[in-house]
Amino acid sequence: MKADIHPDYHEIKVVMTDGSEFTTRSTWGKAGDTMRLDIDPKSHPAWTGVHRLVDSGGQLAKFNKKFKSFGIKA
């Protein structure tokens, strides 16, 4: 095996969306860095079963405005 081709594997702290945290080993960042998650198994619809629309930068409003004439008329 070639020497010095593997990334550094070190401990980092991961902070979940609810503020809980744990320590794991990763190649991400530098030793002692903190990774803050925006989406995790506690908040993602795939795991929670709760679907929630997140409007990021007005994307949802822009879509609704563009396609408001389509669909079922009430």
Side-chain angles (χ1 to χ4, degrees):
M1 188 176 338
K2 292 183 181 179
D4 300 326
I5 63 167
H6 297 288
D8 180 36
Y9 190 62
H10 48 270
E11 285 193 358
I12 63 166
K13 182 168 65 171
V14 179
V15 179
M16 308 289 260
T17 57
D18 66 352
S20 62
E21 54 189 54
F22 63 93
T23 303
T24 188
R25 294 181 55 83
S26 174
T27 58
W28 180 84
K30 298 182 297 261
D33 280 354
T34 300
M35 177 186 287
R36 298 189 183 280
L37 301 179
D38 294 329
I39 297 176
D40 62 29
K42 295 179 182 178
S43 65
H44 194 278
W47 287 279
T48 63
V50 177
H51 184 68
R52 173 178 77 178
L53 293 175
V54 177
D55 190 7
S56 174
Q59 294 287 331
L60 183 59
K62 185 174 162 184
F63 177 85
N64 287 336
K65 181 180 175 187
K66 183 175 182 178
F67 295 105
K68 69 181 174 186
S69 63
F70 290 97
I72 301 170
K73 306 248 186 226

